[in-house]
């Protein structure tokens, strides 16, 4: 008499398909885009990239070679090193008033600001978002509504008060004045709070607390790993914002040795007649890190937005 056999349970095919790594971030119902969409997207890409290309071309020419017969040139020239030397404090008799600009040092200052601002934004905004989403304390909701309300106030309205504070503590003309006020943002707190509210069930937090985990342990061991897609999106937004900061950076560190990219580009307009080739050389070089960052983190942005859309 043969031993009875058990039929192997059939694998849930639909669930396997949905969890396949090849389909993450894309709905199975999606169909390939038609040629019309590709043509339109290529046209939009060409329009968006064309100013960057032209700035790159002009950065390789001297000022008197930018226009030929009244029309701008579209071919690369041999004078990029000439323009590079000028935007880094080099002297040229026919190009006065540029010795106060050091673009390379300004770029290094901006990289320091971006690194500190991104680290601070991810930590403080995720911590505040966790508190507003999962912790219970008196005045939580009114305080959160006040944070959201600050999103409607233009940042320029606070420059005078911010300058007075920074001047009293002696930070004007230093990188502290640019980095510290940007370590946390109302948008970041709001974004993190909404993501945590939807992504992490209350039962997981309660179970960890019952097992003896402290609040900060719950934040580091449970909340932070879950926030990886949202942190990628928020980090990219904070990095681009810190790199492109202009108004407050010009007020706080403009003209000092700690000036960042924004004030440096402003100072490239020195002289009674601004040189187009010099200005576009600095603008083109300032754009390159942002483009590289978008290429590196583009997939992370799409995944983070898709995760948020699915949860919503």
């Amino acid at each position: 008499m043969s031993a009875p056999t058990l039929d192997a349970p059939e694998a849930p095919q639909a669930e396997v398909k949905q969890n396949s790594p090849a389909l993450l971030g894309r709905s199975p119902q999606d169909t390939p885009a038609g040629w019309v969409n590709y043509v339109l997207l290529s046209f939009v890409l060409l329009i968006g990239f064309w100013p960057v290309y032209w700035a790159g071309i002009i950065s390789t020419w001297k000022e008197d070679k930018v226009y030929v017969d009244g029309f701008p040139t579209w071919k690369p020239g041999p004078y990029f090193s000439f323009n590079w030397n000028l935007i880094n404090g080099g002297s040229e008799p026919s190009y006065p008033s540029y010795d106060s600009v050091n673009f390379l040092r300004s770029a290094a200052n901006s990289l320091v600001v971006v690194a500190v601002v991104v680290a601070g934004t991810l930590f403080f905004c995720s911590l505040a978002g966790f508190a507003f989403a999962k912790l219970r304390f008196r005045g939580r909701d009114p305080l959160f509504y006040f944070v959201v309300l600050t999103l409607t106030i233009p940042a320029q309205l606070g420059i005078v008060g911010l300058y007075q504070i920074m001047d009293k503590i002696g930070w004007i003309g230093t990188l502290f004045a640019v980095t510290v006020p940007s370590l946390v943002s109302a948008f970041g707190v709001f974004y993190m709070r909404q993501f945590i509210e939807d992504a992490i069930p209350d039962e997981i937090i309660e179970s960890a607390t019952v097992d003896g985990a402290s609040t900060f342990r719950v934040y580091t061991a449970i909340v932070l790993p879950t926030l990886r897609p949202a942190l990628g999106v928020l980090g990219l937004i904070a990095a681009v914002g810190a790199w492109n900061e202009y108004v407050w950076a010009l007020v706080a560190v403009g003209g000092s040795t700690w000036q960042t990219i924004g004030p440096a580009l402003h100072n490239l307009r020195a002289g009674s007649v601004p040189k187009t080739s010099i200005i576009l050389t600095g603008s083109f070089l300032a754009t390159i890190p942002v483009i590289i960052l978008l290429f590196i983190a583009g997939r992370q942005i799409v995944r983070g937005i898709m995760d948020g859309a699915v949860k919503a």
Side-chain angles (χ1 to χ4, degrees), residues 91 135 151:
S91 59
L135 301 185
L151 288 170

Side-chain angles (χ1 to χ4, degrees), residues 30-63:
D30 283 349
T31 56
W35 65 271
V36 175
N37 293 328
Y38 283 110
V39 170
L40 290 176
L41 290 175
S42 301
F43 182 68
V44 172
L45 178 64
L46 183 63
I47 293 177
F49 187 72
W50 190 254
V52 180
Y53 169 78
W54 190 66
I57 293 297
I58 299 305
S59 69
T60 61
W61 288 99
K62 285 184 177 179
E63 185 67 17

Side-chain angles (χ1 to χ4, degrees), residues 5-216:
T5 58
L6 295 176
D7 294 335
E10 294 184 0
Q13 298 297 327
E15 184 177 351
V16 171
K17 272 188 174 182
Q18 288 178 359
N19 293 334
S20 173
L23 295 177
L24 285 177
R26 178 179 174 181
S27 172
Q29 290 78 22
D30 283 349
T31 56
W35 65 271
V36 175
N37 293 328
Y38 283 110
V39 170
L40 290 176
L41 290 175
S42 301
F43 182 68
V44 172
L45 178 64
L46 183 63
I47 293 177
F49 187 72
W50 190 254
V52 180
Y53 169 78
W54 190 66
I57 293 297
I58 299 305
S59 69
T60 61
W61 288 99
K62 285 184 177 179
E63 185 67 17
D64 55 350
K65 305 288 186 183
V66 172
Y67 294 95
V68 179
D69 298 329
F71 295 96
T73 183
W74 303 107
K75 297 179 181 178
Y79 297 104
F80 178 79
S81 59
F82 175 83
N83 294 327
W84 170 261
N85 182 50
L86 280 177
I87 66 174
N88 283 289
S91 59
E92 175 65 28
S94 57
Y95 287 72
S97 305
Y98 284 100
D99 54 351
S100 62
V101 180
N102 192 329
F103 188 86
L104 198 57
R105 182 185 174 88
S106 301
N109 293 337
S110 282
L111 287 177
V112 173
V113 172
V114 167
V116 176
V117 167
V118 169
T121 298
L122 296 185
F123 176 71
F124 290 116
C125 290
S126 60
L127 197 61
F130 168 57
F132 282 125
K134 297 300 178 183
L135 301 185
R136 302 289 180 265
F137 55 91
R138 183 176 298 177
R140 184 192 68 168
D141 290 341
L143 186 58
F144 176 69
Y145 295 144
F146 175 76
V147 172
V148 174
L149 185 63
T150 60
L151 288 170
T152 63
I153 302 175
Q156 290 78 6
L157 291 180
I159 284 183
V160 175
L162 186 58
Y163 180 87
Q164 291 177 336
I165 294 173
M166 293 296 157
D167 187 44
K168 281 196 173 185
I169 58 180
W171 283 0
I172 290 297
T174 69
L175 289 184
F176 291 108
V178 184
T179 54
V180 173
S182 302
L183 291 180
V184 63
S185 66
F187 169 76
V189 174
F190 173 76
Y191 181 65
M192 286 291 111
R193 189 260 189 190
Q194 296 304 108
F195 194 92
I196 294 171
E197 184 73 32
D198 296 332
I200 304 175
D202 293 339
E203 290 77 9
I204 295 180
I205 306 292
E206 294 169 357
S207 299
T209 304
V210 169
D211 289 342
S214 64
T215 303
F216 192 73

Side-chain angles (χ1 to χ4, degrees), residues 240-260:
V240 174
W243 182 264
N244 292 332
E245 177 60 46
Y246 172 68
V247 176
W248 172 241
L250 184 63
V251 173
V253 295
S256 70
T257 56
W258 298 106
Q259 71 177 359
T260 53

